[in-house]
Amino acid sequence: MSAVIEIEGLRKTFHSLRNGRRVAVDGFDLLVETGQIHGFLGPNGSGKTTTLRALLGLVRADSGRMAVLGEPSPQLLPRVAGRVGAIVESPQFFGNFTGHRTLRLLARAGGVPTSRVDEVLELVGLHDRGDERVKAYSLGMKQRLAVASALLKDPQLLILDEPANGLDPAGIREMRDLMRSLAAAGVTVLVSSHILAEIQLICDHVTIISRGRRVAAGRVDEVLAGHDRHEFLVRVAEPERAAELLRAAELTATVDGGTLVVGGATDATVISKLLGEQGLWVGELTPLRPDLESVFLELTGAGQPWVPRQVDDSALPPGGQGDAVIDLERGVDA
Amino acid sequence: MNLVRAELERLFARRFVQLMVVLLALAFAVTAATTLAGSHKPSAAELSSARAQATEARQSMETHFQQCLARRNGTLPPSDSELYFPTDCSEIDPIRQDRLPIAADFLPGVFSFAQQAEPLLYFLIAFLVLFGFLVGASYIGADLNSGGVVNLLLWRPRRMTVLGAKLGTLLGTVLALAVAASLVYLATFWVIGQTAGLAGRLSGDFWRSLGAVHGRGMVLVLLASALGFAIATLGRHTSAALGAVAAYAVVWELGGRLVLEIVDAPRPDQLMLSSYIGAWLTGEARFYDSQICRGDTAGGGYCEGFYSLTWAPSLLVLLLLTGGLTAAAFAVFRRRDLI
Ligand SMILES: Nc1ncnc2c1ncn2[C@@H]1O[C@H](COP(=O)(O)OP(=O)(O)O)[C@@H](O)[C@H]1O
Ligand SMILES: [Mg+2]
């Protein structure tokens, strides 16, 4: 598998008179390989958009190495730009143009046959509204137009920054289907989002960013597996007695109402055998699988309800271990 | 080439550009209509009377000159001794005057193309300079602000090419519009002169001088467009260009001039951009400075106290300013973070 996007040690600091220095991206790494639908996940202000802007040559990185489709970026980006479709933070379009004309102008500037315009309008479901002015579009329609503009080039690599913004549930589902069909057609997709369910549903790989740094990366199931504490939810008639039995067998067990959370067991059969031998029949035995949301909240430290969460500080992981990059896909990242 | 075509469509789709074109047409129509309404073709009687008056005026100038010479020679009859004469009679020598009275001067309510073409052209050039500046500034300013430039750069990640195509399209369009507008404008007034007024003496000299003003005006229009474009690019905003010009005019042309006068600095006009614009457009501008004659009076020689700026150094100043700002705009745009 070849790398489509490589980012190593990307740093970007913004300087402004009013706010002084702000480190938006702080030594970030990202690897996207051919054919992936790669989720780029992080809370607001964690540096997703800045990373994509730097990758696409819109902002100058302080340091770091980047490559797109094998060409160093931004130096040789023009060589591959024709094969990369991108939207970065809901793009603004000129309100007086119709959707159709907006795309036609871009197609012309990029040397794409204008016949492609109708095709992409169809793809994003704007075909019937293509002749209306962009300023009359709803937020979701503008977002669709943006995606259409990224698709115009028939790209090998599609970079979408929060494409679900402003879309209704049906729109989000259509966007998802669109991404899947593109991926099936061989397009590599990098999609940023702060919405976890979104990423979990469509992405096969994920990179989690927090405070400008990578905190997790790899296949979605492996990232989840890395956070699997191998706990089981157990329902038995006498939870207190069951807990004692399990603890005696060097397992952890916490009683929570009528159920038990058991940790340390490699296999569910261990638990059912232990309890069954003592005449305690197990009514329910469910492995507790982590979902991306819990992993995300754990990694980005956003899950403490008693601390009012601040946009920019949200990413400080609890327990002070936040600065260590957790490499979950050792084969690729180690 | 495709980029330029796309830019051309973008430029003409701008509301502001459309508005300015409408304003141009409107100003043009109003001037032409009022001129037409206030002018009539002189009758043969009017013409011959005007010719007579002009001849008479020229003759009286000649007589006055002769009397001056006569007084110098002491042959002036006593009856004319109360008349005023300059010390140097050549000052009123008709041959040395810039222009002599002609028939058109004695035809009230008659539009004379030969006489009016130049001032009319200056008016149009002033409008076109404003037009070029505003269109240049708003074209890039609005695009930088609306994210249009970012969209385009995602397509063509070559900043210099994209900005260059924009500037080139702007200058080409403004020049084409300005040339077309001024030609139609002059042609219209020429027709008015022919049909409802007086054509006047349209000699080769007249056309040459009008052509020179026209050519210099077109250069000025281009410079103004590039300047508006450059300042708006540097300031990321249309209003940056407007603000910069307003600030310059108030702070330097007005305030600075006042301060220079108070401290009695020599030749303050030489430090004003407006002087160079005037000098470039008219070929030469003369400015008064009292200090020129200081120390000169001791010699007893005559001192006028004027100095002049000619077109060549003026063009250099204007080119350096515009070129410098444009180069700066490109240099800054090359490295800037586009958000
Ligand atoms: N132009 C800018 N000037 C100053 N700070 C900026 C600028 N753009 C982004 N930032 C800061 O950089 C951080 C990352 O922003 P961004 O990349 O937009 O986050 P995300 O896309 O993940 O929500 C934020 O703290 C934001 O305030
Ligand atoms: Mg963002």
Side-chain angles (χ1 to χ4, degrees), chain A residues 12-16 19-20 22-25 40 42-53 59 89 161-162 192 194 209 212 311-312, chain B residues 337 339:
Chain A
K12 173 65 192 177
T13 313
F14 286 108
H15 303 268
S16 74
N19 305 319
R22 164 160 275 147
V23 180
V25 181
F40 185 14
N44 290 334
S46 56
K48 302 182 293 293
T49 300
T50 305
T51 301
L52 297 180
R53 281 193 175 124
V59 304
E89 206 157 78
D161 191 12
E162 315 242 3
S192 92
H194 61 273
I209 185 173
V311 167
D312 280 323
Chain B
D337 283 348
I339 305 293

Side-chain angles (χ1 to χ4, degrees), chain A residues 12 57-58 92 97 101 108, chain B residues 9 13 146 159 337-338:
Chain A
K12 173 65 192 177
L58 295 175
Q92 306 288 309
F97 282 176
R101 192 174 185 191
R108 199 174 279 163
Chain B
E9 194 169 336
S146 69
R159 294 192 180 193
D337 283 348
L338 293 169

